[in-house]
Amino acid sequence: MLHPAASAFMILGLIPAAHYLLIQSQVHPTTTVLLSLGFMTLPSILFPCNDQYIGTVLNVFAWFVFVLRALEIPSFDRYNVKKWSYFDYLEFVSTSSNSLLRLQQHESTKGHKDHHALTAKKSYIDAVTVLPNDRTLSYFANVVAKLVLTYVAYAFALVYFRKYGYEERKGLLDFKDTKGVIEHSVFGVLLYGTVELYFHLLFFPLILVLNAPFVPVFNAPYRATSVRDFWSRRWNLFVKEILHTIGFGWTRRLLTSKDATGKDRHNAKKVILSSLAAFGMSSLLHEYFIFMLTNETLFGENTLFFMAHGILCVLQVEIQRYTGFGRTWGTGLIWNVLGWFATMTVLLFTSPLFVAPFGRSQIVLSVALPIPAILFDLCYRLI
């Protein structure tokens, strides 16, 4: 068992450096991906940390963040990847939007050298990319205020589970079960706070040092007006864009056929299968993540959750395509409120399928951020 500093050096220092050298080598891309997946998981197994809390946080990096990036690398033009500096690579790992690096590839033949000076393209995830010049005092004040509010909400959610514990529910949520409805709603706040706070603590400083563009990991998911809006534009953009690349993008290219003129044929079935592939990839990654962190027997709950939501997203697209709902009609404040209510209902109704393995293993609680005693006592008394 290693000291936390030594374990952190192995996982956060050696893994990125080794991966960067690997993608700069002449090794075949497929072999590169397989080798990357191997040495990104082995160090945390061979060199475990003697501090469980720090060890778990480091394993999240090794088994989730780095693995996702290793899978995404083949989507980049290999010739341009070999021109990346180590700082470009670190930017690639640390940001949830690689649009600036992709734009660098597109513009590289036009004499552009400074990719930070390029204008970011609008992303389909509708998140606002914050460029270095946009980070004013007002921006930092807003970030701090948002993180403080998130931390307070996170503290209440964490104290709730410290006080009352987690009671597992099988299958879908029964809305007559008031305690279950409260419990899974609070878990949503806890998960949101955990990801939001850790993302800013671990990635935001690196992004500032690199003077890189920044995309928040969340885009107000509590304001989603449809299941598709929730997954496509608001929830965990860091992971979403990667899944769109390696799930949707690769599958769509695999199924692409061309007409007599050489243009791609538009095929609704191709889009449906590609969308389901992205959700399938998400389900596999979450099952893998749960197994690696908990060593639990997998029951496929996350797979059922994500595939059910994938089907709902596909149904929404098809209904909109045939009826025009949400495009030519069904818009405005009243419809948005109804859409929000329906979205939150669906998320809550299916939430036990997602929450169960995390609740059983207590993995979210095991990586809980410290709460000052005075705030902990206040939350404990209020709930």
Side-chain angles (χ1 to χ4, degrees), residues 31-273:
T31 306
T32 299
V33 171
L34 294 176
L35 288 174
S36 300
L37 296 179
F39 70 66
M40 284 179 178
T41 55
L42 285 177
S44 52
I45 297 173
L46 297 176
F47 307 102
C49 181
N50 59 18
D51 185 299
Q52 183 181 3
Y53 172 78
I54 295 177
T56 302
V57 173
L58 292 174
N59 287 342
V60 170
F61 267 87
W63 292 337
F64 198 68
V65 175
F66 288 143
V67 166
L68 283 171
R69 292 310 195 192
L71 290 172
E72 190 183 10
I73 276 283
S75 69
F76 290 79
D77 178 76
R78 196 177 187 193
Y79 173 77
N80 286 290
V81 167
K82 286 184 176 296
K83 295 194 298 183
W84 285 4
S85 68
Y86 188 57
F87 290 106
D88 285 329
Y89 170 80
L90 290 177
E91 177 182 329
F92 163 71
V93 171
S94 62
T95 64
S96 58
S97 170
N98 300 311
S99 58
L100 268 290
L101 290 175
R102 289 196 171 96
L103 189 58
Q104 179 192 23
Q105 295 177 191
H106 176 71
E107 299 287 350
S108 59
T109 59
K110 299 181 181 180
H112 291 282
K113 295 181 179 180
D114 182 8
H115 65 272
H116 291 306
L118 299 173
T119 303
K121 292 182 178 179
K122 288 288 185 180
S123 173
Y124 54 82
I125 57 178
D126 281 345
V128 179
T129 300
V130 183
L131 297 175
N133 291 338
D134 297 330
R135 293 198 281 261
T136 61
L137 286 176
S138 175
Y139 166 76
F140 284 110
N142 287 333
V143 169
V144 170
K146 178 183 176 182
L147 291 179
V148 169
L149 290 174
T150 301
Y151 182 73
V152 172
Y154 169 83
F156 272 95
L158 179 62
V159 172
Y160 176 91
F161 283 104
R162 296 288 193 209
K163 184 175 183 177
Y164 298 108
Y166 169 76
E167 182 182 341
E168 184 181 354
R169 269 85 175 168
K170 298 290 186 180
L172 302 174
L173 186 62
D174 182 1
F175 284 107
K176 295 179 182 178
D177 179 9
T178 305
K179 186 176 184 296
V181 170
I182 295 173
E183 191 172 282
H184 285 80
S185 299
V186 174
F187 189 90
V189 176
L190 179 66
L191 183 62
Y192 173 88
T194 300
V195 177
E196 175 86 337
L197 294 169
Y198 268 112
F199 185 80
H200 278 83
L201 284 172
L202 299 173
F203 287 110
F204 197 61
L206 180 59
I207 288 168
L208 294 179
V209 170
L210 295 173
N211 201 33
F214 177 70
V215 174
V217 66
F218 291 122
N219 183 26
Y222 42 82
R223 294 172 55 186
T225 55
S226 71
V227 175
R228 183 168 178 254
D229 180 38
F230 180 85
W231 293 115
S232 295
R233 299 179 178 89
R234 298 186 180 277
W235 182 262
N236 205 346
L237 306 181
F238 181 89
V239 174
K240 190 270 170 186
E241 187 161 333
I242 300 174
L243 292 176
H244 187 275
T245 299
I246 64 180
F248 183 91
W250 288 358
T251 304
R252 187 166 186 175
R253 284 194 293 273
L254 184 65
L255 298 175
T256 293
S257 59
K258 298 183 182 295
D259 59 21
T261 65
K263 295 181 179 180
D264 292 345
R265 292 172 177 167
H266 178 75
N267 190 323
K269 291 182 180 179
K270 178 176 67 176
V271 177
I272 290 173
L273 291 175

Side-chain angles (χ1 to χ4, degrees), residues 196-358:
E196 175 86 337
L197 294 169
Y198 268 112
F199 185 80
H200 278 83
L201 284 172
L202 299 173
F203 287 110
F204 197 61
L206 180 59
I207 288 168
L208 294 179
V209 170
L210 295 173
N211 201 33
F214 177 70
V215 174
V217 66
F218 291 122
N219 183 26
Y222 42 82
R223 294 172 55 186
T225 55
S226 71
V227 175
R228 183 168 178 254
D229 180 38
F230 180 85
W231 293 115
S232 295
R233 299 179 178 89
R234 298 186 180 277
W235 182 262
N236 205 346
L237 306 181
F238 181 89
V239 174
K240 190 270 170 186
E241 187 161 333
I242 300 174
L243 292 176
H244 187 275
T245 299
I246 64 180
F248 183 91
W250 288 358
T251 304
R252 187 166 186 175
R253 284 194 293 273
L254 184 65
L255 298 175
T256 293
S257 59
K258 298 183 182 295
D259 59 21
T261 65
K263 295 181 179 180
D264 292 345
R265 292 172 177 167
H266 178 75
N267 190 323
K269 291 182 180 179
K270 178 176 67 176
V271 177
I272 290 173
L273 291 175
S274 300
S275 299
L276 293 177
F279 279 93
M281 177 67 74
S282 178
S283 66
L284 290 176
L285 285 170
H286 280 82
E287 297 283 8
Y288 151 83
F289 178 64
I290 292 165
F291 176 75
M292 293 297 287
L293 280 178
T294 68
N295 271 329
E296 272 202 354
T297 301
L298 299 178
F299 297 102
E301 293 140 314
N302 270 216
T303 299
L304 289 174
F305 175 82
F306 284 105
M307 294 314 297
H309 281 250
I311 291 171
L312 288 174
C313 287
V314 167
L315 287 175
Q316 178 186 337
V317 171
E318 291 303 298
I319 290 172
Q320 288 179 327
R321 188 160 68 92
Y322 283 107
T323 67
F325 177 76
R327 295 175 179 174
T328 58
W329 67 281
T331 59
L333 179 61
I334 294 177
W335 285 107
N336 285 340
V337 171
L338 292 174
W340 173 85
F341 181 78
T343 302
M344 296 302 115
T345 300
V346 168
L347 289 170
L348 195 56
F349 183 57
T350 57
S351 60
L353 294 172
F354 179 82
V355 172
F358 294 97

